[in-house]
Amino acid sequence: MTQRHAQRTYTNRRYLDAIADHVVIFDGAMGTSIQRYNLTADDFGGEQYNGCNDYLVLTRPDVIAEIHASFLAVGAEAVETCTFRSNPLTLREYGLQDKTYDINYAAAKLARGVCDSFERETGIPRFVAGSIGPSGKLPSGNDPDLSNITFDELADVFYAQAKGLVEGGCDVLLIETSQDILEVKAAVYGINRLFADLNVRIPLQVQVTLDTTGRMLFGTDIASALTTLEPLQLDVIGLNCSTGPEYMREPVKYLVENSPYPISILPNAGLPINVDGEAVYPMEPDPFSEMVAEFTRWGVGVVGGCCGTRPEHIGKLYAQVHGHSYEEEIAGRAKRRPPIVRQPETVAKASSNMRAVSMIQNPGPTMIGERISTQGSRKVKQLILADDYDSVIPIAVQQVDSGAHMLDVLVALTERADEAEQMKILVKKLSMAVETPLIIDVTDPPVAEAALSVYPGRAIINGNNLENGRERIDKVLPIARKYGAGVLSMTIDEEGMAHTRDKKLAIAQRITDIAVNEYGLLPEDLVFDTLTFPLTTGQAELRNDAIETLEGIRLIKQHIPGVLTALGVSNVSFGITPAARGVLNSVFLYHAVQAG
């Protein structure tokens, strides 16, 4: 159980208990199974609904029930509802958007009835997984149609679908075959909002789909996907569809070594081939089951099949995983194999749309590029004033090429009042152009939300402090929780910037207490900037400011385990000659790194 997971209370946790007890087997392909019935337009309720498999839960529930039973009969413990495309956007293609709740509710009740029947007969718990596929929109892109939807609108789409599934009796919700990581974030948020509204929580399982190169549609690799999703409120993470198991080996290894959550792997029966205009999945049950079962010996706790997998695949998989047939277990002569206990590495990371970056570099400190700033770069200010966002991209690329691990982005201008819109435009362009994660530097918390609503990765919000008491922090932290962002806070409170080591520590402790105990963030989500004044102020009371900054870093690391620290090193040398600045900055950086 992860630290984030431990904070949750479940209405129904049978499914999570099963994963902790043994390797759980899912069913196989719903679509492939439906094709074998050779259904006509009448079976779908008329020509206008022909091909809408999800509508069959109302027009031919007997067919869907038979398919569920066919997988349960060979050892599957969990079956997915026939609702892969049952969200309002995709149902609109058939004019069925007003039946979103009815279809999802009926599908869950139908699967629940079949599972309950098998559970009574065998004494083996069976689980209903509410299948939630993509919406058909691609919010990370720039297509005028496919990308024309907001984060909150997407969240509402998945909220609507999940409501029917939860109230229909699902044991777990399954966001699957996800191709756009920003859409996944919206789906997770919408579903958790539903849980809060219903005062119900069942497990949430999220599965992305990767191509043969190991990336999602917009280039997101498995490290970036895990980093982006890990801070969100989910319970199981994994992969499904797209490829057969042979192309999943490296991503699965990464998840086994790094995921704090249980892992689910549901591959296709090989890569599809075109036969007379139809997709055919060539991998037979024996090689499929052998490859997928191997993943469970690495530490994967949930396995099953996706496109092209038949009951024969699942029956063979059951035998390969547990070392005996399903019939032997039913007869009471064997028990299911317990899961492998993993001890994954957990390192604080940020992510872009394409890759993850450790926030603790080894060797050396994490370098933050700060040239994309209307307050620190005259050129960037002129470009933003002129709405020339494309010309900012080469500046970002240059910083990355020069060694920046992350990029701080600030667009506030006294000459303009549309900071939120400017930030959205620039962040969208940067997310598609650079692989380096972003730090969203804001003066106003709503600007951070505007940026994160279009950012596919895991960013850091820069702009938190206690200057006005809790006014700012109570706006920033809910945004961070919603989007899974980290938070960079300055050691400033109602009395101003802290100048002593003890005051810097006290402010950091106060912020940590609020963030962790009230908002559910972890210490690893928090970064503290202990700040420093220039040595050239001439003020006697600031003479030791740099030393107090260094000691403040040391105290924070000693007394608040897990948090990170950051520092604008060059602030210490403002007002002296360039040559002297280089020397002073280098010495100060050295001691800052030694301090932590």
Side-chain angles (χ1 to χ4, degrees), residues 7 21 56 161 174 214 266 270 304 344 495 501 537 548 550 577:
Q7 298 166 353
D21 180 71
L56 293 171
Q161 179 175 5
L174 173 60
L266 280 63
E495 298 176 358
R501 65 192 73 180
T537 62
E548 292 299 311
L550 298 175
T577 64

Side-chain angles (χ1 to χ4, degrees), residues 105-343:
Y105 181 85
K109 291 288 284 187
L110 180 63
R112 176 83 276 147
V114 179
C115 282
D116 288 348
S117 176
F118 270 81
E119 189 166 331
R120 285 192 298 269
E121 290 176 10
T122 64
I124 297 173
R126 309 296 173 126
F127 307 106
V128 177
S131 172
I132 300 174
S135 68
K137 294 292 187 178
L138 298 171
S140 291
N142 56 8
D143 184 277
D145 180 37
L146 295 179
S147 305
N148 186 26
I149 192 166
T150 69
F151 185 95
D152 286 332
E153 286 170 346
L154 268 176
D156 289 342
V157 166
F158 293 106
Y159 180 110
Q161 179 175 5
K163 190 171 192 293
L165 292 171
V166 171
E167 295 184 340
C170 286
D171 298 287
V172 54
L173 293 183
L174 173 60
I175 300 171
E176 61 172 330
T177 322
S178 304
Q179 301 178 57
D180 185 330
I181 201 70
L182 183 56
E183 181 184 69
V184 182
K185 292 169 70 175
V188 172
Y189 173 70
I191 290 169
N192 278 291
R193 186 161 54 84
L194 171 72
F195 289 159
D197 289 349
L198 296 180
N199 196 27
V200 166
R201 173 168 288 279
I202 63 175
L204 179 57
Q205 183 165 314
V206 177
Q207 294 170 174
V208 301
T209 185
L210 308 176
D211 61 21
T212 55
T213 69
R215 293 183 178 271
M216 296 174 70
L217 184 63
F218 288 101
T220 308
D221 66 11
I222 190 60
S224 177
L226 177 60
T227 299
T228 301
L229 297 177
E230 189 275 327
L232 305 178
Q233 295 184 68
L234 54 96
D235 301 283
V236 181
I237 194 166
L239 307 169
N240 79 291
C241 200
S242 187
T243 73
E246 67 272 31
Y247 287 98
M248 291 183 173
R249 295 178 68 86
E250 290 306 314
V252 170
K253 284 182 180 178
Y254 184 88
L255 288 177
V256 168
E257 293 170 358
N258 294 275
S259 171
Y261 295 116
I263 301 164
S264 60
I265 305 296
L266 280 63
N268 288 348
L271 282 170
I273 56 177
N274 190 307
V275 178
D276 298 328
E278 290 190 6
V280 174
Y281 297 86
M283 186 171 280
E284 291 300 313
D286 282 327
F288 174 86
S289 61
E290 290 170 6
M291 287 188 185
V292 177
E294 183 182 356
F295 297 154
T296 68
R297 293 188 284 274
W298 298 354
V300 171
V302 180
V303 289
C306 200
C307 302
T309 52
R310 309 183 301 274
E312 294 87 344
H313 290 80
I314 303 306
K316 291 278 189 180
L317 178 58
Y318 183 97
Q320 283 283 349
V321 167
H322 294 303
H324 59 264
S325 69
Y326 173 64
E327 290 73 18
E328 288 178 280
E329 182 177 335
I330 294 299
R333 297 195 300 270
K335 292 185 178 181
R336 286 162 287 182
R337 183 167 68 76
I340 302 294
V341 177
R342 298 179 297 113
Q343 294 182 324

Side-chain angles (χ1 to χ4, degrees), residues 398-412:
Q398 183 180 34
Q399 289 187 101
V400 175
D401 291 343
S402 297
H405 302 109
M406 303 180 72
L407 297 178
D408 189 88
V409 182
L410 189 153
V411 299

Side-chain angles (χ1 to χ4, degrees), residues 268-512:
N268 288 348
L271 282 170
I273 56 177
N274 190 307
V275 178
D276 298 328
E278 290 190 6
V280 174
Y281 297 86
M283 186 171 280
E284 291 300 313
D286 282 327
F288 174 86
S289 61
E290 290 170 6
M291 287 188 185
V292 177
E294 183 182 356
F295 297 154
T296 68
R297 293 188 284 274
W298 298 354
V300 171
V302 180
V303 289
C306 200
C307 302
T309 52
R310 309 183 301 274
E312 294 87 344
H313 290 80
I314 303 306
K316 291 278 189 180
L317 178 58
Y318 183 97
Q320 283 283 349
V321 167
H322 294 303
H324 59 264
S325 69
Y326 173 64
E327 290 73 18
E328 288 178 280
E329 182 177 335
I330 294 299
R333 297 195 300 270
K335 292 185 178 181
R336 286 162 287 182
R337 183 167 68 76
I340 302 294
V341 177
R342 298 179 297 113
Q343 294 182 324
E345 290 187 31
T346 53
V347 179
K349 293 179 181 177
S351 61
S352 67
N353 193 25
M354 290 165 269
R355 69 184 180 97
V357 171
S358 173
M359 292 168 66
I360 303 176
Q361 293 292 311
N362 188 17
T366 302
M367 305 301 291
I368 299 172
E370 292 192 306
R371 301 305 298 166
I372 309 174
S373 169
T374 51
Q375 295 181 10
S377 169
R378 182 177 299 176
K379 180 177 181 180
V380 169
K381 178 178 180 178
Q382 292 171 341
L383 292 173
I384 298 299
L385 280 171
D387 291 324
D388 187 2
Y389 303 97
D390 289 333
S391 294
V392 179
I393 304 302
I395 299 172
V397 172
Q398 183 180 34
Q399 289 187 101
V400 175
D401 291 343
S402 297
H405 302 109
M406 303 180 72
L407 297 178
D408 189 88
V409 182
L410 189 153
V411 299
L413 289 164
T414 56
E415 295 90 341
R416 296 181 62 157
D418 56 346
E419 182 184 354
E421 187 60 28
Q422 290 175 290
M423 184 67 90
K424 280 178 65 174
I425 295 171
L426 183 56
V427 164
K428 184 90 170 179
K429 288 182 177 293
L430 288 169
S431 72
M432 300 178 71
V434 295
E435 295 189 5
T436 303
L438 302 183
I439 297 175
I440 309 301
D441 198 338
V442 299
T443 56
D444 192 16
V447 177
E449 171 136 34
L452 295 176
S453 72
V454 299
Y455 190 61
R458 185 189 191 219
I460 308 297
I461 301 173
N462 182 3
N464 188 49
N465 59 59
L466 295 170
E467 184 176 8
N468 296 311
R470 294 191 49 150
E471 180 181 345
R472 176 178 291 269
I473 197 170
D474 285 330
K475 294 177 181 177
V476 169
L477 295 185
I479 296 170
R481 186 68 186 269
K482 176 178 179 178
Y483 296 98
V487 180
L488 194 159
S489 303
M490 293 170 284
T491 50
I492 300 173
D493 67 3
E494 298 89 341
E495 298 176 358
M497 186 179 112
H499 292 290
T500 68
R501 65 192 73 180
D502 291 335
K503 189 62 181 290
K504 293 175 190 291
L505 171 63
I507 294 173
Q509 288 175 321
R510 185 177 164 195
I511 291 174
T512 301

